[in-house]
Amino acid sequence: MTPPATDVDWDALRALAREAMTHAYAPYSGYAVGVAALVDDGRTVSGCNVENASYGIGLCAECGLVSELQRTGGGRLTHFTCVDGNGEILVPCGRCRQLLYEFGGPGLLLETPAGILPLSEMLPQAFGPQHLTK
C-alpha cells in the first residue's frame, strides 16, 4: 500500500536527494542534480547526474535512480523528489518523466515547486508498457 503524500517525510527524502547531488559529475554544464524516491517495499533509492564529454550520452540523475532501483531488488517508485545544485526542488525533464512513468506509473507522487503532484499531471496521456501489449 502506497502511503499518502501527507504520511511521507518529504524533508528527509529531499535531504537524500541533496546528498546524492553532491556526487554528481557535471564538469561541462556545472548543473548538478540529485534525486531520491521511495519504493513500494519501503526502500529509498537515489541518483545523481553523470555527464560525458560526448554531451549526448550523459546520464540524468533519474537514470541512476532507476538503475539503483533495479540493482537493489526492483519494485515500483511511489514518491519522488529532485533537486538542483543549490538543493532547490526541480521538476524532471520530459525524458525523465517518461522513465519515471515506466517504474512508478501515473500515480507516482512528485514533489514540485507547485506542491505534490501525481505523475499523471506532469505527463498526461503517457505512453507506457500497456501500449505495447495491444
Side-chain angles (χ1 to χ4, degrees), residues 33-89:
V33 176
V35 296
L38 296 179
V39 182
D40 60 358
D41 64 5
R43 282 179 296 132
T44 56
V45 290
S46 62
C48 62
N49 59 320
V50 178
E51 295 180 347
N52 187 281
S54 178
Y55 294 143
I57 62 171
L59 300 173
C60 294
E62 291 82 354
C63 293
L65 179 132
V66 166
S67 182
E68 179 72 4
L69 172 71
Q70 290 304 111
R71 187 193 71 75
T72 61
R76 302 293 291 168
L77 301 173
T78 62
H79 300 77
F80 173 89
T81 192
C82 180
V83 298
D84 65 17
N86 295 318
E88 299 298 320
I89 299 169

